[in-house]
Amino acid sequence: MMRKPLTIAMPKGRIFEEAAELMKQAGYDLLSNQEESRKLILEFPEQNLRIMMAKPMDVVTYVEYGTADIGIAGKDVLLEQDRDVYEVLDLGISPCYIAVAGLPNQPLSKIAPKIATKYPKVASDYFREQGEQIEIIPLNGSIEIAPLIGLADRIVDIVSTGRTLKENGLVEYEKIVGITSRLIVNPVSYRLKSKEIDEMVNQLSEVVGEDYV
Amino acid sequence: MAKRLMFEKPLGMRDTLPFFYNQKKQARELLTEEISNFGYMFMDTPILEYYETVGEASATLDQQLFKLLDQQGHSLVLRPDMTAPIARVAASQLKRAEFPLRLAYDGPVFRAQQTEGGKPAQFEQVGTELIGDHSSYGDAEVIALLIRSLQRAGLQDFQITIGHVGYVRCFFKEILGDDDPALTEELMSYLYRKNHVGYQEAVKALPLNEEAKRALMGLLKLRGEDEVFDQSKSLARNQECLQAINELKQLYKILKQYQVEQYVSFDLNLISHMDYYTGILFEGYAPNLGSLLCNGGRYDQLLPSFQLNASATGFAIHLERLVEALAKQSNGDERIGILVDDDTFADGLKQAQDLRQEGKSVLLQHVDQVPDLQQFKAELVEAIDLTTGGGHDA
């Protein structure tokens, strides 16, 4: 029997390795044609799977529009983009958290404090909840520079070991939210391919020890 | 802001060029024909309504409403759906008409888009409202009519998923009690977003015993065919829950009489963004279409907000998406192939005939005549290999 393959959007890079390992334990071997590592679409006809290699930030987009049925995305991206996808399983991989950091002993400026971040939505939601009106300075990387050169009072960024902060003389002020990678599903695929998807979710949840009841 | 260039349109607005116009017209005519055949009467309402009445009664998020002011300074909205305006008409001009009312509509609705492309801000809905019939026959009629209309328009493959908001509410009531409505709302919002991770984390953090938690987790599993009705009984047993399950059972029974049961499945944790639904509700999906094709359900609170005490149910089909789904479906090249040998020919023939009966395009092929099996299978949407070697002998 051959059916249309289940399309999975996978983040390139480090998360791919971890996710592929989980998939392997769940019975889906995605590492067999690694030699074609420049290819963005990998076919696994014998498992009826198709893998799309995407930038981690874009996985959610592919899944929302239905070009991928399933995706693996960080909770940080899900929080920031607030897209219409189903979040069905916590894979528990790539654990880290989003935190507020800055120079030590530096109180938040009273007038229009500035926050540099690549998570504008997460940052403004957080400070609004704290009753604090702030101004966001969007950056795409090396966020840690911002407080050092006086561009911002604080940064909001991903912390995994805390080493980057430390080496740049920054301290963590508050932890905002814990982050892991999640299995996400397109709402239509969730219905129309429910058999294949449920099977994958069940297998994966056994591997990650999450009782999906 | 940069000066607008001559060809630009407001975000989410689209032109309908002749080819697409004709496709839409064709689909619209087929849908409206079927709806008329069920005895529904078409009507129309204004594009502009008062914000205070229709704007507030509709379940559309405030930020998605197009708002403007009239000469007297009243807030107006471009109608975000057709259900609220029709409720207004049913509760005023048609108040003295003979109930149950069977009304239908076809027209543009407007929802402002915040983000990028792919989501139109104006789209056409074709739909029905059955007002003043609160029986399961009413629910079933609306769902059966939806299915028949989609079939009439030529859609072959689609699925209607049915849930019951009343069930979810009394399920939470049995397990969580009445004391904390905010908690119920929180769990319901996880269900609406199908955020199972968030739901499970929230449940784990609750100060409840294991059995209650297991029941809450078990709700996520209540989807599939009619076996969910029996499964549900081990989770919640109060009178209201049983009542809701009985309504679903009754609905299923009538849908079988309409002979449309193969298109429906059930999901007892289905919740819609339209929060005026109170009972049975449903959503429809088609393959190759990233988002909802149609939806609907029973609403008991909307008409009372226009001072008419009546229950109603209806559906709306997103016409542009239907046209897209029709364009994407098999235009003859989506064929199922059955491979047979001398021993399995009879079996293959029977399967082929059954599938053809379902309207599928099926070819039956003796394996000896196929030079390249792999190539052969690649041309098919599905290959059923009945040969004894299972295809490996090629």
Side-chain angles (χ1 to χ4, degrees), chain B residues 53-243:
Chain B
T53 58
V54 167
E56 291 196 342
S58 101
T60 307
L61 290 176
D62 212 51
Q63 74 238 31
Q64 286 204 308
L65 293 174
F66 278 103
K67 289 174 222 146
L68 59 156
L69 295 177
D70 70 5
Q71 307 292 42
Q72 288 77 40
H74 300 117
S75 293
L76 307 179
V77 292
L78 295 185
R79 64 181 182 206
D81 65 44
M82 289 295 288
T83 302
I86 289 193
R88 173 180 59 67
V89 176
S92 49
Q93 286 107 303
L94 294 178
K95 198 163 54 178
R96 281 181 198 85
E98 204 59 48
F99 276 53
L101 279 174
R102 283 179 169 77
L103 298 173
Y105 57 84
D106 156 41
V109 299
F110 302 84
R111 300 196 192 149
Q113 296 305 328
Q114 322 290 317
T115 52
E116 76 275 47
K119 291 175 189 159
Q122 172 182 345
F123 53 91
E124 187 170 334
Q125 282 190 333
V126 179
T128 64
E129 308 293 347
L130 170 54
I131 299 169
D133 181 337
H134 58 81
S135 71
S136 296
Y137 294 101
D139 289 309
E141 173 177 309
V142 163
I143 293 172
L145 172 54
L146 169 62
I147 292 170
R148 290 288 178 232
S149 308
L150 292 173
Q151 283 178 321
R152 178 75 166 265
L155 193 65
Q156 292 155 0
D157 192 5
F158 58 90
Q159 192 196 322
I160 310 295
T161 298
I162 304 173
H164 196 304
V165 198
Y167 178 79
V168 181
R169 289 202 175 275
C170 58
F171 182 90
F172 284 137
K173 196 168 139 195
E174 169 164 329
I175 294 167
L176 304 170
D178 289 324
D179 324 332
D180 194 352
L183 176 64
T184 306
E185 290 311 313
E186 185 196 339
L187 292 180
M188 290 193 57
S189 91
Y190 283 127
L191 290 182
Y192 156 56
R193 301 169 56 92
K194 278 277 181 299
N195 180 347
H196 290 181
V197 177
Y199 179 85
Q200 286 171 321
E201 279 172 2
V203 167
K204 274 183 206 157
L206 290 175
L208 292 172
N209 63 34
E210 278 310 305
E211 193 194 347
K213 286 188 185 178
R214 204 169 312 125
L216 287 170
M217 296 284 196
L219 180 61
L220 296 181
K221 278 278 166 174
L222 291 182
R223 58 195 172 88
E225 309 302 318
D226 55 332
E227 76 274 0
V228 298
F229 304 146
D230 285 335
Q231 289 168 13
S232 74
K233 285 187 182 147
S234 65
L235 298 177
R237 294 175 204 86
N238 71 30
Q239 206 49 48
E240 287 170 79
C241 283
L242 293 179
Q243 169 74 25

